[in-house]
Amino acid sequence: MSDNHSDAPLLRTPLYDLHVSLGAKMVPFAGYEMPVQYPTGIIKEHTHTRTQAGLFDVSHMGQVFLVGPEAAAALETLVPVDIIDLPQGMQRYALFTNDTGGVMDDLMVANFGDRLFVVVNAACKAQDIAHMQKHLSGRCKVEVLEDRALLALQGPAAGAVMARLAPETAKMVFMNTATVNLVGVPCYISRSGYTGEDGFEISVPADKAEALARELLSHPEVAPIGLGARDSLRLEAGLCLYGHDLDVNTSPVESSLLWALSKPRRADGARAGGYPGADVILGHIANGVSRKRVGLRPNARVPVREGAEIVDADGRKVGVVTSGGFGPTLEAPVAMGYVETALAKVGTQLSAMVRGKPVPVEVASTPFVPQRYYRG
């Protein structure tokens, strides 16, 4: 899970002491000391999230306000996504693209009325903030929220737990956002997450983060969950991890994220193009791509890991695994990777090379487990 690229001293989130007191095993991740698991272990944490509710510390991620009447139009110059028509009180998935049509990061954008609220990945945080400051500062205020933590409450019991704390959250549906009072302070929340389950992400002032975490953990359904289970949960849900399944050399079309490229920004849309790499991406939409991200189900008990080569029946390299591991809900290994487009059809039989031996894998549809977002 380590995504550390420097010798800089590791940072700590406002919940560091709480993690340690809960017996977490702390590891370096994106420059932070983060809990990879708690004493119950990854499998039980994973299952608890799928059956009850898990609490995740995602305070290492970047939180940014874009303030001003031109914020949405300005942000559209960096993403292939419709931000101008994003309704107030809604959140949308977006991608920063580069000039060659690759993905610099994936992010969430919420419309809070007089401002946009942007959440970016921890490993790309400094780069993304610099990117926004460079390209947007002339048109809106780029305000980095250094003093806020971010918690995620995920699982089928998340809605009931949140409704006890803030009854107005019961009427929120998937991708709704709101400002609600929790532990006596305004928090920015969205009904969303990274597990495939119903749930909420909660931005809270850093000095109230531990109080909120303890309040949530006091509910019998809620248990703390580390980065290990976060990874297995998102993999089962078929969700991409930046730097693994998405990168600067791969377009959103190759990444099977066509659904995220809003119609108004496509070739025949009202605001076609106008973002970095638009010509490449619109060309990929029109003409197709030579490789695509697919789900993979290994037909053996052997987990197939990131970096494993994918070969066809003749042993010819046709792709690579970008995420892989054990899927506790499925009680079987799962993986994602890139294969030649001709081989991307569900049911295609291929092999992944594990320690020099071919392991049979089958191209499968994602998500591997049904998404259970709350849509009302």
Side-chain angles (χ1 to χ4, degrees):
M1 288 295 292
S2 178
D3 261 7
N4 256 24
H5 303 299
S6 79
D7 299 323
L10 290 170
L11 302 169
R12 291 176 174 179
T13 77
L15 296 181
Y16 175 86
D17 291 341
L18 177 61
H19 298 312
V20 172
S21 74
L22 293 169
K25 179 185 175 192
M26 306 299 286
V27 299
F29 182 81
Y32 284 79
E33 285 187 79
M34 297 297 288
V36 69
Q37 66 178 81
Y38 296 87
T40 48
I42 290 173
I43 302 272
K44 284 194 169 129
E45 290 173 34
H46 178 112
T47 304
H48 189 92
T49 306
R50 286 266 182 260
T51 55
Q52 298 192 65
L55 183 66
F56 301 77
D57 179 10
V58 286
S59 305
H60 57 324
M61 297 180 80
Q63 304 181 59
V64 180
F65 276 150
L66 303 178
V67 186
E70 285 196 51
L75 185 56
E76 282 200 1
T77 66
L78 299 182
V79 300
V81 176
D82 178 3
I83 307 295
I84 286 173
D85 297 322
L86 176 63
Q88 186 170 341
M90 284 295 291
Q91 173 176 274
R92 189 162 282 164
Y93 178 75
L95 306 152
F96 285 133
T97 52
N98 63 17
D99 291 336
T100 55
V103 177
M104 291 172 55
D105 196 12
D106 58 345
L107 59 145
M108 285 293 190
V109 183
N111 180 357
F112 274 85
D114 64 337
R115 63 196 58 204
L116 298 174
F117 178 48
V118 175
V119 178
V120 299
N121 282 311
C124 305
K125 179 162 63 173
Q127 158 211 288
D128 289 349
I129 290 167
H131 186 59
M132 287 188 282
Q133 285 168 335
K134 179 181 174 184
H135 295 285
L136 306 181
S137 289
R139 299 181 67 185
C140 63
K141 185 177 172 208
V142 179
E143 185 183 327
V144 183
L145 306 179
E146 304 277 13
D147 57 347
R148 296 189 79 84
L150 194 65
L151 306 184
L153 181 69
Q154 299 284 299
V161 171
M162 278 298 285
R164 287 176 213 147
L165 273 66
E168 66 270 32
T169 58
K171 63 179 189 291
M172 295 175 70
V173 296
F174 181 57
M175 292 299 229
N176 276 174
T177 60
T179 302
V180 301
N181 277 320
L182 300 169
V183 292
V185 290
C187 296
Y188 315 128
I189 69 169
S190 65
R191 194 156 196 165
S192 66
Y194 192 49
T195 60
E197 299 294 331
D198 182 26
F200 296 85
E201 295 198 338
I202 309 162
S203 170
V204 56
D207 59 358
K208 294 287 188 178
E210 185 172 334
L212 178 58
R214 288 187 183 279
E215 166 68 40
L216 290 165
L217 289 169
S218 74
H219 295 257
E221 303 94 329
V222 183
I225 313 294
L227 289 177
R230 182 169 165 84
D231 194 51
S232 56
L233 288 158
R234 71 92 194 166
L235 180 54
E236 285 187 344
L239 300 171
C240 293
L241 176 60
Y242 188 79
H244 303 258
D245 313 297
L246 306 175
D247 63 39
V248 291
N249 301 311
T250 309
S251 85
V253 184
E254 293 170 317
S255 301
S256 300
L257 295 176
L258 190 63
W259 59 268
L261 307 180
S262 306
K263 296 267 192 325
R265 310 300 306 280
R266 296 195 196 180
D268 53 355
R271 297 185 305 285
Y275 52 85
D279 293 350
V280 176
I281 291 168
L282 295 176
H284 282 181
I285 294 173
N287 306 318
V289 289
S290 61
R291 61 187 182 123
K292 295 211 85 162
R293 178 177 63 91
V294 296
L296 299 164
R297 292 289 300 264
N299 294 325
R301 299 297 293 171
V302 189
V304 171
R305 303 280 179 196
E306 177 182 1
E309 284 193 359
I310 301 169
V311 298
D312 66 10
D314 302 324
R316 181 176 68 91
K317 185 184 174 184
V318 296
V320 65
V321 174
T322 52
S323 281
F326 184 70
T329 311
L330 300 162
E331 299 185 340
V334 287
M336 291 195 295
Y338 285 79
V339 299
E340 294 174 4
T341 301
L343 301 172
K345 194 162 162 284
V346 169
T348 303
Q349 303 293 326
L350 298 166
S351 293
M353 299 303 293
V354 178
R355 295 187 208 94
K357 295 197 175 73
V359 172
V361 299
E362 183 175 316
V363 176
S365 58
T366 58
F368 299 106
V369 299
Q371 289 172 340
R372 297 198 289 181
Y373 305 127
Y374 179 69
R375 300 182 191 273

